[in-house]
Amino acid sequence: ADGTYASDTADFAVRLDLVDLALVSDAASGALVVKGTARSAAPEAPIALALDAEVANGTLAGRSLRDATLGLDLDLLGGRISGAIDGTAMLDGHQARLTTQVALDAVRQALTGIGFEVAGTRISGELARAVDTELITGRIDVAAPDVALAAALLLQDAAGAVNGRIELAPRDGEQAATVAANVANLRLNDIAIGRADIAATVGDLFGVPVIDGTIEARTIAAAGTTINTLTARASQSGDTTRFDANAALATGTGVAVGGALSPMSGGYRLALDHANLVQGSLAARLANPTAILVQGDSVVLDAVRFAVGSGSITASGSAGNALNLSVDIAALPLSIANAIMPSLGLAGTLDGRATITGAAADPRVAFEARGAGINATAIAPYGIAPLSANLRGTYAGNAVSLDALSVNGAGGLSVTGSGRVPLAGGGLAVSLTGSAPLALANQFLLDRGGQLSGTASFNAQASGSLADPQFGGTVSTEGAGYVDPELNLRLTNIAGRANLSGTTATIETLSANLATGGSASVSGTVGLTGAFPANLSLNVNSARYADGELFVATVSGGLALTGNLTGTPLLAGTVQVEQANITVPEGFGGGAQLIDVQHRAAPPAVQQTLDRAKITTNGAPVPQTRSPGMLLDITLNAPNQIFIRGRGLDAEVGGSVRLTGPLANIQPVGAFSLNRGRLSILGQRITFERGTVTLVGDLDPQLDFVALTESGDITVIVTVSGRVSALQIGFSSNPQLPEDEVLARLIFKRSMGELSPLQLAQLAAAAGELVGGGGGGLVDSLRGAAGLADLDVVTDAQGNVGVEAGTYLQENIYLGVTAGANGQSKVTINLDVTDDLTVKGAADQNGNSSLGVFFERDY
């Protein structure tokens, strides 16, 4: 700024450069340049005031702004100001323009020719204010098919149509107004209105308004509540306005309020004839007509009492610069809150009393409350409801003092405490003792289905401040348990003790037994703030782990867990594998697909379960955002005793493998090598020459075994490869022969054409055992070679493998033979007498026989 300025002459200039509007508001950006001058040609001549603002490029409420200018050109003479305001801008590719004329003097302040336009939105009108009465005369007209761009200029996020007119005029020395407006699909920040129509005349706008008019609206959403319909009417009778309003909430709740507003000496009186909230059989109603008196800064309540179900809330006293209020609650059903937010699922009753005294600037509150049978959706699944609670204390000096606190519930919940809680600053001093069910932590394990059981006892203190709490005391548990379905893990007899100090929990002892055998123990520290930084040591003692399908292992060792528990902690150390067994399954089938269920109008309990299971109403799992999880750097030492068995395979491997990377994508370094191994087929034992077992991202390792054997004039090559759950056994030879021919040469030292039917059946049984049930291409080729109508590998209820073969002796006579690997056999014969009549007979090697006549008809 530079120059001189006086009432009769001026030669003054000012300039403002703001590098970015974001320094002023998060909803704006761009460089702002403002230039201003105040100059007069001569003493006593008008002073010309000019101000020009410009934003060349930027944004407003997320919309692009370009070439924005705002100019003021005014003349000042003898205390009178006159001139014009003009502005233009390109907003999201649309031109915005503002114009108006300004006239101010000692009698009147006026804006005339108001005009604003952008993207079809138009605002026009004129306003004049009398200096002596401060009353306004004029009108404003709004026609906006979409207010989005106009709202952006005010840094607001909005959309929808607004049309209306406001007319202002003095009447009997008071400000009067007439309003007619309608909105459609209006959204302003988090408030949405589907439709609203307003028509009203208002007297004494700046005092105690006297209103005649109506409001009709529907589909209003705000603060998590949706109002389907809203109707409000007001009518004038002298200087009194009677009003009546009704609303229907989307939850099925109905709200109705009625009464009168009238002026009185120094203030006004609000009389309530009725105020009701009703949902089904639950209702909150104003017990008796009452009045609220407002005089100056004082508000007097005349025993306002609401009957809520079988309970009540009563408020009486006065509020202003000095406070003297009391609120009594008797048998209040907490379920009344569900009428507004059903998701709370509250149940139980509340009794209590609060007295509010002192100055408004420094209130003092004494309170006591007693809750019984408390339950809620948030706590129902965790076995602690219903709760009972008692609370007594005071509030003063921006701090809450708890004289006594007690909470009791199912599952071993029992808490008592006292202390002081400043809402700002230091001085926090709270003590809590008691016990709580560990099931409370299950809400953090929902995504993996983990379940904690047992209780934790604690004697804890908190100091410092709410922003930076410091902890002390001890926490212990004994006889607790944990089940993790994802890991097929069950821990029993969990016992431990931890000391709290500052922002750290030091685990003195923590041990558990595995249900499958062995034990584990943990010690170290965990941070109680931020991302829970940890420095823990884990010892495993002959712990036997089984994944329930393929893998059983007994391990011992020491590991260290460091880093943030809610981030990517590192688990590192060395584990000794004492023994491990990997079972090759006898057969495999595709996993069953989830039933395609779509839940329509799911009851609240069902929807609650779906939410907890992270499943949407169309049956699909809800994607969960997780951190990469735990990182590994573990060395597995197993010089021997890692066994792979099943489907004729018997092998032992050993070695040392280092596992690195995240749990979901384990990167092994090294592999276990073959110590010994063989494959048994119909008494033939083939010894593996080399092989490796590689660990991947789960407990389903990758196998790669190779065996060579001489059979007559060929060399047979047997390969066992792939994941254990989908193992592939292949046969090849040198010189090259078909796979079924190689198998025949290996087992019977003969070619396929030289095998008897019994040998073919034996060969099919062996092939079926190797490929895990079901013949596939190998068994099909054997059937063709034997000239049979049917050849299949089957299993009985005990899992024994057998071969079922059959052929047609004549067109209507079918002979079948079943030979089991357990030495049992059976012969069946079917005689088709007609298309509908069949005679069936069977005999086994023990002399048992059967005969049946069957009549069948297809429809």
Side-chain angles (χ1 to χ4, degrees):
D2 181 57
T4 60
Y5 182 87
S7 59
D8 59 347
T9 186
D11 186 6
F12 188 83
V14 63
R15 179 185 173 99
L16 166 68
D17 288 283
L18 183 64
V19 66
D20 195 345
L21 288 169
L23 297 169
V24 180
S25 172
D26 292 337
S29 69
L32 171 67
V33 177
V34 180
K35 300 176 183 178
T37 59
R39 290 189 173 92
S40 58
E44 304 301 329
I47 297 176
L49 303 175
L51 188 68
D52 294 295
E54 179 181 347
V55 176
N57 287 285
T59 62
L60 293 178
R63 299 179 180 274
S64 65
L65 180 69
R66 181 169 55 85
D67 300 332
T69 63
L70 179 66
L72 283 73
D73 291 300
L74 306 174
D75 287 334
L76 170 62
L77 181 63
R80 294 186 299 273
I81 298 176
S82 61
I85 300 174
D86 185 82
T88 60
M90 294 298 294
L91 188 61
D92 253 10
H94 297 272
Q95 186 176 49
R97 184 170 182 83
L98 169 69
T99 60
T100 187
Q101 300 296 314
V102 180
L104 296 86
D105 56 33
V107 177
R108 182 172 175 267
Q109 301 165 342
L111 295 175
T112 59
I114 298 173
F116 171 80
E117 183 174 353
V118 62
T121 292
R122 293 182 176 84
I123 301 175
S124 60
E126 55 186 26
L127 298 171
R129 176 177 176 269
V131 175
D132 56 348
T133 63
E134 299 186 349
L135 300 179
I136 301 172
T137 302
R139 64 173 178 80
I140 293 291
D141 292 286
V142 178
D146 189 353
V147 299
L149 291 180
L153 290 170
L154 300 176
L155 300 181
Q156 297 293 317
D157 179 20
V162 176
N163 293 279
R165 168 180 284 198
I166 300 175
E167 296 184 357
L168 301 166
R171 187 170 66 194
D172 299 330
E174 297 172 346
Q175 184 67 63
T178 300
V179 180
N182 63 76
V183 303
N185 301 318
L186 179 65
R187 178 186 55 78
L188 177 60
N189 297 325
D190 295 328
I191 299 173
I193 302 174
R195 179 77 186 184
D197 295 282
I198 304 170
T201 59
V202 184
D204 197 9
L205 182 63
F206 299 150
V208 181
V210 181
I211 305 171
D212 268 306
T214 61
I215 297 176
E216 301 279 350
R218 64 176 182 266
T219 318
I220 303 170
T225 299
T226 300
I227 302 172
N228 287 342
T229 61
L230 170 66
T231 302
R233 293 180 175 82
S235 59
Q236 177 184 356
S237 177
D239 58 2
T240 298
T241 299
R242 299 203 61 82
F243 61 87
D244 188 275
N246 295 274
L249 278 61
T251 58
T253 303
V255 181
V257 179
L261 177 67
S262 57
M264 57 179 293
S265 178
Y268 58 89
R269 180 177 186 270
L270 176 63
L272 292 176
D273 298 333
H274 65 273
N276 305 326
L277 185 150
V278 180
Q279 183 177 50
S281 60
L282 184 64
R285 304 179 187 274
L286 185 67
N288 300 291
T290 189
I292 300 173
L293 308 179
V294 180
Q295 291 180 295
D297 60 4
S298 177
V299 178
V300 179
L301 304 180
D302 183 15
V304 179
R305 181 174 182 270
F306 281 89
V308 183
S310 59
S312 65
I313 302 175
T314 304
S316 60
S318 61
N321 290 330
L323 303 173
N324 185 16
L325 289 171
S326 64
V327 178
D328 290 277
I329 300 173
L332 176 69
L334 297 176
S335 56
I336 188 68
N338 303 335
I340 305 299
M341 295 188 66
S343 60
L344 293 175
L346 281 174
T349 59
L350 181 67
D351 292 85
R353 179 179 177 83
T355 58
I356 306 168
T357 58
D362 186 22
R364 178 179 177 83
V365 182
F367 57 87
E368 58 179 307
R370 299 172 301 282
I374 301 173
N375 200 349
T377 297
I379 63 175
Y382 305 118
I384 63 173
L387 303 178
S388 63
N390 291 276
L391 180 67
R392 186 178 74 253
T394 59
Y395 168 84
N398 203 31
V400 176
S401 295
L402 299 175
D403 298 332
L405 165 68
S406 66
V407 179
N408 293 280
L413 178 66
S414 178
V415 181
T416 60
S418 61
R420 183 174 184 273
V421 183
L423 303 184
L428 177 66
V430 175
S431 297
L432 296 174
T433 60
S435 62
L438 294 173
L440 287 172
N442 289 343
Q443 58 183 313
F444 304 109
L445 304 171
L446 285 177
D447 59 347
R448 63 185 303 109
Q451 292 285 321
L452 278 164
S453 59
T455 60
S457 300
F458 54 87
N459 181 355
Q461 304 84 42
S463 58
S465 65
L466 290 177
D468 184 23
Q470 304 292 306
F471 301 96
T474 60
V475 180
S476 62
T477 188
E478 188 171 352
Y482 176 65
V483 176
D484 192 316
E486 277 196 9
L487 294 177
N488 196 44
L489 176 67
R490 181 185 177 197
L491 301 178
T492 62
N493 296 323
I494 300 175
R497 176 184 173 89
N499 278 324
L500 310 180
S501 178
T503 59
T504 302
T506 300
I507 300 174
E508 294 181 345
T509 61
L510 179 60
S511 61
N513 295 330
L514 277 72
T516 49
S519 64
S521 61
V522 178
S523 62
T525 62
V526 177
L528 301 177
T529 59
F532 302 101
N535 187 1
L536 300 173
S537 296
L538 170 65
N539 291 309
V540 181
N541 305 302
S542 296
R544 184 176 183 272
Y545 176 76
D547 73 340
E549 294 181 357
L550 307 174
F551 189 87
V552 179
T554 302
V555 299
S556 296
L559 301 170
L561 180 63
T562 56
N564 295 328
L565 294 183
T566 58
T568 54
L570 174 65
L571 183 64
T574 302
V575 172
Q576 188 76 21
V577 181
E578 298 175 4
Q579 188 183 75
N581 286 276
I582 301 170
T583 301
V584 180
E586 292 299 327
F588 304 92
Q593 297 296 317
L594 284 176
I595 297 175
D596 186 13
V597 176
Q598 291 195 4
H599 301 266
R600 300 188 183 278
V606 173
Q607 187 60 52
Q608 178 177 308
T609 300
L610 293 172
D611 293 341
R612 290 183 187 134
K614 305 296 189 295
I615 295 176
T616 63
T617 53
N618 66 1
V622 177
Q624 299 298 300
T625 300
R626 294 193 197 178
S627 69
M630 185 181 298
L631 302 177
L632 300 181
D633 187 1
I634 299 176
T635 299
L636 294 179
N637 288 329
N640 51 36
Q641 297 197 59
I642 297 181
F643 302 102
I644 302 102
R645 298 187 175 105
R647 280 165 53 190
L649 180 65
D650 186 351
E652 180 185 4
V653 299
S656 181
V657 175
R658 183 184 177 197
L659 304 180
T660 63
L663 272 176
N665 186 23
I666 295 177
Q667 302 297 318
V669 179
F672 295 116
S673 300
L674 181 70
N675 291 341
R676 64 169 184 83
R678 63 179 180 268
L679 182 66
S680 299
I681 310 172
L682 288 181
Q684 299 286 335
R685 303 178 67 179
I686 305 170
T687 302
F688 289 109
E689 295 189 350
R690 65 181 185 273
T692 59
V693 175
T694 304
L695 300 180
V696 286
D698 51 25
L699 296 179
D700 187 6
Q702 180 91 20
L703 270 59
D704 186 11
F705 290 170
V706 177
L708 299 177
T709 185
E710 299 294 332
S711 181
D713 57 350
I714 66 170
T715 301
V716 177
I717 305 166
V718 183
T719 60
V720 179
S721 60
R723 304 288 289 270
V724 169
S725 63
L727 207 56
Q728 301 294 321
I729 301 178
F731 297 88
S732 59
S733 65
N734 186 16
Q736 187 173 352
L737 294 174
E739 194 171 29
D740 53 355
E741 184 71 25
V742 173
L743 193 58
R745 296 281 189 97
L746 174 65
I747 296 175
F748 296 108
K749 312 301 183 185
R750 299 179 182 179
S751 66
M752 282 286 293
E754 298 173 336
L755 297 183
S756 68
L758 179 60
Q759 289 174 322
L760 285 171
Q762 289 177 309
L763 193 63
E769 184 177 0
L770 290 173
V771 299
L778 183 54
V779 174
D780 286 342
S781 66
L782 292 172
R783 177 189 58 76
L788 298 172
D790 182 37
L791 179 64
D792 194 14
V793 179
V794 296
T795 57
D796 62 17
Q798 288 72 41
N800 298 312
V801 178
V803 175
E804 192 174 79
T807 186
Y808 283 94
L809 302 180
Q810 294 184 20
E811 186 176 348
N812 63 333
I813 302 176
Y814 180 85
L815 177 67
V817 178
T818 301
N822 59 351
Q824 299 296 314
S825 60
K826 182 174 67 172
V827 177
T828 61
I829 188 168
N830 293 358
L831 172 61
D832 294 331
V833 180
T834 69
D835 289 341
D836 302 323
L837 185 64
T838 302
V839 178
K840 297 182 180 180
D844 62 22
Q845 67 181 42
N846 297 323
N848 299 317
S849 61
S850 62
L851 182 67
V853 179
F854 298 86
F855 182 80
E856 299 175 352
R857 173 66 59 86
D858 293 336
Y859 296 92

